[in-house]
């Protein structure tokens, strides 16, 4: 890839299609999730290679709690296994782990594992891998609005002090730049309650590939597509 053309600072991915990938092979859905974990490694490697600073992966939505309990548990176990097995690689690759979402809703063992790997990787600074877990953008914005309302009640702000910047500083993503590129796999043309505020000016690339088939080359292709776009941000 041409190093002189612009590399997105922040890539966000809606990793979709694990279930359909499994179904197309006559396998149980859980096998799709398991295979999808390998694609996460590919996406991290590709971002490292390109010098991307933030990679946010939509791994479990607020609405995904409505799936059968067996699938939810299997996903949590898979997440823990993934974190435990990948932690040494994250260290070797200088990758910092972060999370967004309603983490309190996750099982205690999952939270513990997340905490441990976040602590371990806290000083890493080449790429920040952000996992969106039990994440819903409407919930996130609602929580921010509640904090702002509380601040007004307690006299910290007046209603007219509430600006987009102040609201953004109360989102889970306060410490990171907005995504430049949003990728969704499996061909679905929707955002499914993901980063609604933050993707205002993200370039969107939707690929038909199911997530478990997503490889480094697919991410490079998406970045090439991004580089062809003319970002105007409302200007001329
Ligand atoms: C994405 O794959 C992974 C999660 C939402 C956890 P799906 O499980 O949504 O797979 P499909 O969309 O049913 O194929
Ligand atoms: C979005 O995928 C959530 C994740 C990828 C974690 P879903 O499969 O849950 O979204 P819908 O139901 O197709 O909108
Ligand atoms: Mg899906």
């Amino acid at each position: 890839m041409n190093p002189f053309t612009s590399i997105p600072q922040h890539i966000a991915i809606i990793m979709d299609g694990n279930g359909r990938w499994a179904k197309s092979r006559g396998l149980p859905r859980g096998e799709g999730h398991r295979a999808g974990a390998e694609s996460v490694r590919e996406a991290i490697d590709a971002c490292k290679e390109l010098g991307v600073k933030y990679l946010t992966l939509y791994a479990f939505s607020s609405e995904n709690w409505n799936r059968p309990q067996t699938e939810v548990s299997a996903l949590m176990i898979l997440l823990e296994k993934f974190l435990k097995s990948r932690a040494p690689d994250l260290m070797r690759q200088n990758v910092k782990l972060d999370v967004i979402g309603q983490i309190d809703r996750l099982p205690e063992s999952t939270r513990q594992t997340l905490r441990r790997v976040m602590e371990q990787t806290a000083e890493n600074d080449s790429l920040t891998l952000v996992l969106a877990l039990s994440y819903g953008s409407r919930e996130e914005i609602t929580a921010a609005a509640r904090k702002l309302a509380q601040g007004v009640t307690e006299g910290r702000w007046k209603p007219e002090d509430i600006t987009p910047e102040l609201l953004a500083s109360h989102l889970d993503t306060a410490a990171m730049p907005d995504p430049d590129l949003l990728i969704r796999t499996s061909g679905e043309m929707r955002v499914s309650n993901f980063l609604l505020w933050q993707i205002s000016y993200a370039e969107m690339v939707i690929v038909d590939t199911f997530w478990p088939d997503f490889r480094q080359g697919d991410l490079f292709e998406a970045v090439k597509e991004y580089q062809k776009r003319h970002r105007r941000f409302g200007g001329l």
Side-chain angles (χ1 to χ4, degrees):
M1 186 156 305
N2 183 347
F4 299 106
T5 46
S6 71
I7 295 297
Q9 195 185 5
H10 184 172
I11 298 180
I13 308 183
I14 303 176
M15 312 185 286
D16 198 16
N18 294 354
R20 279 163 285 163
W21 179 90
K23 192 173 181 201
S24 73
R25 284 167 171 69
L27 297 169
R29 292 179 57 84
E31 286 301 307
H33 297 313
R34 214 177 47 77
E38 186 56 32
S39 304
V40 172
R41 180 215 295 254
E42 295 269 333
I44 296 170
D45 290 350
C47 285
K48 278 286 301 178
E49 180 146 343
L50 293 178
V52 171
K53 294 305 288 180
Y54 295 86
L55 171 65
T56 299
L57 300 176
Y58 203 7
F60 193 84
S61 74
S62 305
E63 289 76 19
N64 290 152
W65 290 113
N66 300 325
R67 293 190 181 192
Q69 182 53 43
T70 47
E71 177 159 343
V72 170
S73 306
L75 279 166
M76 295 302 151
I77 290 168
L78 188 66
L79 172 64
E80 286 177 39
K81 273 194 186 154
F82 175 85
L83 289 168
K84 284 176 186 158
S85 67
R86 306 304 306 167
D89 288 306
L90 297 180
M91 288 309 293
R92 186 177 49 76
Q93 293 180 297
N94 194 17
V95 176
K96 174 178 171 168
L97 178 72
D98 207 344
V99 287
I100 56 173
Q102 295 176 318
I103 301 310
D104 321 344
R105 294 184 71 185
L106 300 176
E108 178 51 29
S109 60
T110 309
R111 275 184 286 156
Q112 244 175 38
T113 310
L114 280 167
R115 248 192 322 267
R116 184 145 26 87
V117 180
M118 280 195 290
E119 274 165 23
Q120 194 186 347
T121 61
E123 303 299 320
N124 292 350
D125 62 1
S126 75
L127 167 70
T128 301
L129 170 67
V130 184
L131 296 180
L133 293 169
S134 188
Y135 176 85
S137 195
R138 287 182 168 182
E139 288 78 359
E140 179 192 32
I141 295 169
T142 305
R146 199 176 292 133
K147 282 180 225 154
L148 294 178
Q150 188 70 34
V152 171
T153 309
E154 291 165 5
R156 260 175 292 141
W157 302 295
K158 294 193 281 298
E160 55 271 29
D161 296 331
I162 297 172
T163 58
E165 291 72 26
L166 187 66
L167 196 150
S169 73
H170 287 78
L171 297 174
D172 293 358
T173 52
M176 29 183 129
D178 287 342
D180 302 294
L181 170 61
L182 173 68
I183 301 172
R184 183 165 186 152
T185 57
S186 90
E188 302 293 358
M189 306 272 185
R190 54 176 174 266
V191 287
S192 304
N193 202 10
F194 187 46
L195 301 176
L196 302 180
W197 173 284
Q198 298 88 341
I199 60 171
S200 293
Y201 275 103
E203 296 296 328
M204 301 179 59
V205 173
I206 292 171
V207 297
D208 286 330
T209 314
F210 291 141
W211 178 249
D213 286 329
F214 193 87
R215 290 292 169 266
Q216 287 197 47
D218 298 297
L219 192 137
F220 295 150
E221 283 306 313
V223 170
K224 276 190 200 151
E225 171 63 33
Y226 165 86
Q227 290 174 333
K228 287 187 212 149
R229 305 281 177 87
H230 178 202
R231 302 183 81 189
R232 280 184 290 273
F233 299 98
L236 294 180

